[in-house]
Amino acid sequence: SGQAAAPAQIAPPPADSAFAPQNAPGGAEGVARGILVAMIQGAKADGHVDAEEQRRIFAHVETLGLDPEAKAFVMDELAAPLDMARVTAHARSPEVAAELYAASLLAMDPDTPEERRYLDRLAGALRIEDGLQREIEATVESGV
């Protein structure tokens, strides 16, 4: 079709990649909020957010360097009921969907049947195929 092939890219996702947060629909801020929602909802999957889960969420908030308004958003999310639609609403691309799934997983140790069911339902809701779901879980577990 007359288009030259792009040279092979090595290194982090290029700035024009769909994985670069600034290119996601809603921009980097939208993705950051989506990831926080996914972490918080994941932490709630077993019915309560324990101290370790809260620590992980707030540690992530610190790395984002969010403004006070966004921190208030986090507190509101923590108070909100468990609702997977709050997560899936942010999944505006397959790349973001994968990040949201990883974020939910990061917030918890899926050691209860409730958490496992939540993750499987979330993967389905985000349209993440089984193979990719296992890949994300292996990556998160290995701490990469």
Side-chain angles (χ1 to χ4, degrees):
S1 62
Q3 285 185 318
Q9 287 277 352
I10 310 167
D16 59 355
S17 157
F19 277 103
Q22 65 270 26
N23 296 322
E29 175 75 8
V31 173
R33 286 188 175 224
I35 285 172
L36 283 169
V37 170
M39 286 187 81
I40 292 164
Q41 291 291 324
K44 289 179 189 177
D46 60 355
H48 63 93
V49 180
D50 66 31
E52 171 59 20
E53 289 165 340
Q54 279 206 6
R55 190 195 60 73
R56 291 182 196 190
I57 291 162
F58 286 115
H60 185 72
V61 169
E62 290 308 310
T63 66
L64 295 173
L66 296 175
D67 56 24
E69 181 194 321
K71 287 186 177 167
F73 166 81
V74 171
M75 299 312 287
D76 289 346
E77 277 301 317
L78 280 165
L82 178 62
D83 178 5
M84 197 175 286
R86 296 175 83 89
V87 180
T88 55
H90 289 273
R92 298 194 180 119
S93 72
E95 295 82 6
V96 173
E99 287 184 58
L100 294 173
Y101 184 79
S104 271
L105 194 56
L106 273 170
M108 63 160 99
D109 291 313
D111 51 6
T112 69
E114 294 91 357
E115 287 169 324
R116 191 65 258 168
R117 277 196 301 274
Y118 175 84
L119 287 170
D120 291 341
R121 283 204 313 270
L122 182 63
L126 292 170
R127 298 190 186 87
I128 291 172
E129 293 163 15
D130 290 354
L132 179 58
Q133 182 183 0
R134 283 193 294 276
E135 205 175 298
I136 295 168
E137 291 185 16
T139 303
V140 168
E141 278 164 29
S142 64
V144 176

